[in-house]
Each structure stands twice: as C-alpha cells, then as structure tokens.
Amino acid sequence: MSTMSASILLRNHARRALTSFTCREVSRRPVWTSFPMRCFSAEPAADHQPLVPGIGRGKTSTGLVGLEVDHDAVPKMIVGYQALLDKLAASDMPPDAQYRINVEQIARYRIKAAQDNLDDPEKVEELCNCGQVEELVIQADNEMIVMDMYLRNRWWELVKPVEIEYNPDDIDGGHGDVEWGDAPEDGKK
C-alpha cells in the first residue's frame, strides 16, 4: 500500500467518523435544565415581543472593536456598582472625602437607573449618558481598580482644603483696572 492511498484511506475514515459523530449529536433530544437558558435565535422569546434588529435582544454589535454585545449587561452593572458601594462602606475613607461622595452619587444613580429599567438597556444608556451598557460595566470595573489604588495609597489624606476668595459685588470681577476687551498699548510704534 502506498503512502498516497494510506493518507486517502485515513482521511476517509476520519470523515466518516466525524460525520457519524455529528449526526448523533444533531439527533439528540434537548436537555432540560433547572435554570432558564437564553435563546438568541430569530424566534421571539417567551414574552412574545417581536425581535427588533439592533434593539434589546436583537442587538448584534456594539459598534466598538473588541467590545462584544452582552445581553446581561444591566444586571452586571448593578453588581459592579454595588461592589463599589460595599468597598467604600468597608473602607476607612472619611465620609466627607470628595472622591467618596462622587463615587457614591454616580454608583447610586446608575444602580437606580438599571433597577428601574432592567428590560430596557437603551433607557439605562439614555439615563446614564455615558455610553452603552457594556461600556458602563467596564467603567465600574475600571473604577474598582482606581478605588483600590486610592484606598491603598490613602490619597484623600493628600487633598488639602482650598480657600477661594470670591466677591460677586466687584464691578470688574476682582481683576483690578484691567479691561479685558482692550489690547495692551504697545510703546514701540
């Protein structure tokens, strides 16, 4: 038997084995699970709402390279921002630190927007106004990294209070006799 015929014979055996394996797999009955499974087919889901391309379950692309569509991004958002709040609550950062105040406000707002619109990611995106829900999940993850650095280095201790003088009664805004509309005189005429 030549090497050519042996390779052809081997290829045919492999093809038959693969074909019979594939046919057995296709003919199997579906396995029933105790947890709900998502179906991303073109058929409408159990709620019988029509599948609209590009919206909700019909979203197939974020339009951003490397960022896949995540149909579970809204619940992931809630988990991510709640983790930020939990880490802040467990930290020794003072409650009046501006970083803590800002992160808490943003996290609470985004959690509320997500909880109120669990089935409407477009509404969450509109309310948060900071990108797609997939991006908001990444923002929560990135904020966790920043918060770890902030807590590890205790950066709130480096921020000093700043006193700002402000007198709204000044006619010229506190700039002395400078008229901002006039160009300085040039003595080299």
Side-chain angles (χ1 to χ4, degrees):
M1 182 184 270
S2 71
T3 49
M4 177 72 111
S5 62
S7 68
I8 291 172
L9 185 64
L10 184 62
R11 192 175 329 139
N12 286 337
H13 281 293
R15 213 178 270 146
R16 263 190 246 121
L18 185 61
T19 305
S20 65
F21 175 76
T22 307
C23 290
R24 274 185 272 142
E25 290 299 312
V26 169
S27 65
R28 262 194 203 170
R29 296 167 73 184
V31 177
W32 298 103
T33 61
S34 61
F35 55 91
M37 294 183 66
R38 293 184 143 236
C39 177
F40 296 105
S41 67
E43 295 180 27
D47 57 3
H48 302 292
Q49 293 178 354
L51 187 65
V52 180
I55 297 176
R57 291 184 322 275
K59 184 177 180 181
T60 58
S61 172
T62 61
L64 301 171
V65 175
L67 185 59
E68 298 294 322
V69 172
D70 185 0
H71 294 283
D72 295 322
V74 176
K76 287 179 182 177
M77 251 181 73
I78 295 170
V79 169
Y81 285 106
Q82 188 60 51
L84 288 171
L85 292 176
D86 294 344
K87 182 164 256 192
L88 277 175
S91 74
D92 60 342
M93 186 185 306
D96 62 340
Q98 193 61 47
Y99 175 76
R100 181 179 186 143
I101 293 168
N102 293 343
V103 170
E104 285 178 344
Q105 285 178 344
I106 291 169
R108 284 195 181 104
Y109 179 81
R110 291 183 178 178
I111 288 172
K112 179 156 177 34
Q115 287 174 337
D116 293 347
N117 302 287
L118 275 174
D119 296 327
D120 191 2
E122 288 78 22
K123 184 68 175 175
V124 175
E125 292 168 0
E126 179 186 326
L127 290 171
C128 293
N129 197 23
C130 282
Q132 300 177 39
V133 288
E134 292 86 356
E135 291 176 285
L136 293 171
V137 171
I138 292 172
Q139 288 174 21
D141 295 342
N142 291 342
E143 193 61 49
M144 185 62 81
I145 294 167
V146 171
M147 185 181 296
D148 287 338
M149 286 189 299
Y150 204 89
L151 293 171
R152 183 176 53 248
N153 297 318
R154 302 181 64 84
W155 285 339
W156 65 88
E157 295 174 348
L158 302 175
V159 178
K160 304 289 183 223
V162 178
E163 291 186 30
I164 299 173
E165 284 186 33
Y166 176 70
N167 187 357
D169 297 331
D170 278 349
I171 296 172
D172 64 354
H175 298 291
D177 60 349
V178 176
E179 294 296 328
W180 293 103
D182 300 334
E185 292 183 28
D186 192 6
K188 298 181 183 177
K189 288 188 179 180

